[in-house]
């Protein structure tokens, strides 16, 4: 048995159905949000990717390099893994992204030294 949703106004008159203006979330919108969160909190992103996806599978042959990346250069670990998984070869544009990730990671490490002075 189907249930009909009949809306009425305060006088009891039936109202014409209104189309919703709310659009559903686009998966690409969510990917942009996740990328921003990964840049802001790279270690949290690494843990979540390690637990709930196969993002790091078949990229590293042992556990040592990802562990060092998690401790010292987390954003570089994410960028390098993404590039290796999506690009057939690493060229100059990909190296620029890796270089920017290293600079950002080193800036995050060196920022605590400046705060103590």
């Amino acid at each position: 048995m189907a249930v009909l949703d009949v809306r009425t106004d305060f006088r009891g008159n039936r109202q014409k159905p209104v189309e919703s203006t709310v659009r559903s979330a686009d998966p690409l919108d969510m990917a942009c949000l996740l990328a921003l969160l990964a840049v802001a909190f790279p270690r949290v992103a690494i843990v979540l990717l390690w637990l709930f996806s196969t993002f790091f599978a078949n990229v590293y042959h042992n556990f040592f390099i990802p562990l060092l990346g998690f401790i010292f250069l987390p954003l570089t670990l994410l960028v390098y893994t993404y590039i290796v998984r999506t690009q057939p070869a690493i060229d100059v544009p990909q190296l620029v992204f890796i270089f920017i990730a290293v600079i950002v990671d080193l800036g995050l490490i060196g920022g605590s030294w400046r705060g103590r002075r």
Side-chain angles (χ1 to χ4, degrees), residues 62-110:
N62 57 17
F63 188 70
F64 186 67
I65 298 296
L67 180 65
L68 286 177
F70 178 79
I71 293 170
F72 296 111
L73 299 170
L75 187 59
T76 305
L77 176 72
L78 286 173
V79 169
Y80 177 76
T81 306
Y82 177 76
I83 288 172
V84 167
R85 289 184 60 87
T86 58
Q87 303 296 323
I90 297 179
D91 293 327
V92 173
Q94 289 83 14
L95 287 175
V96 169
F97 282 113
I98 292 172
F99 181 73
I100 291 171
V102 169
I103 296 299
V104 169
D105 278 334
L106 293 177
L108 293 174
I109 293 170

Side-chain angles (χ1 to χ4, degrees), residues 3-103:
V3 177
L4 296 176
D5 183 19
V6 179
R7 297 179 188 250
T8 59
D9 62 5
F10 66 94
R11 293 186 189 121
N13 298 328
R14 289 187 178 183
Q15 294 179 341
K16 190 168 106 176
V18 179
E19 283 189 35
S20 175
T21 57
V22 178
R23 68 181 183 102
S24 63
D26 186 16
L28 293 177
D29 292 341
M30 294 303 293
C32 184
L33 177 65
L34 290 176
L36 288 174
L37 288 175
V39 170
F41 308 105
R43 287 183 179 95
V44 173
I46 290 170
V47 169
L48 292 176
L49 285 170
W50 190 276
L51 292 175
F52 298 114
S53 73
T54 59
F55 184 69
F56 296 103
N58 300 326
V59 176
Y60 302 102
H61 300 293
N62 57 17
F63 188 70
F64 186 67
I65 298 296
L67 180 65
L68 286 177
F70 178 79
I71 293 170
F72 296 111
L73 299 170
L75 187 59
T76 305
L77 176 72
L78 286 173
V79 169
Y80 177 76
T81 306
Y82 177 76
I83 288 172
V84 167
R85 289 184 60 87
T86 58
Q87 303 296 323
I90 297 179
D91 293 327
V92 173
Q94 289 83 14
L95 287 175
V96 169
F97 282 113
I98 292 172
F99 181 73
I100 291 171
V102 169
I103 296 299

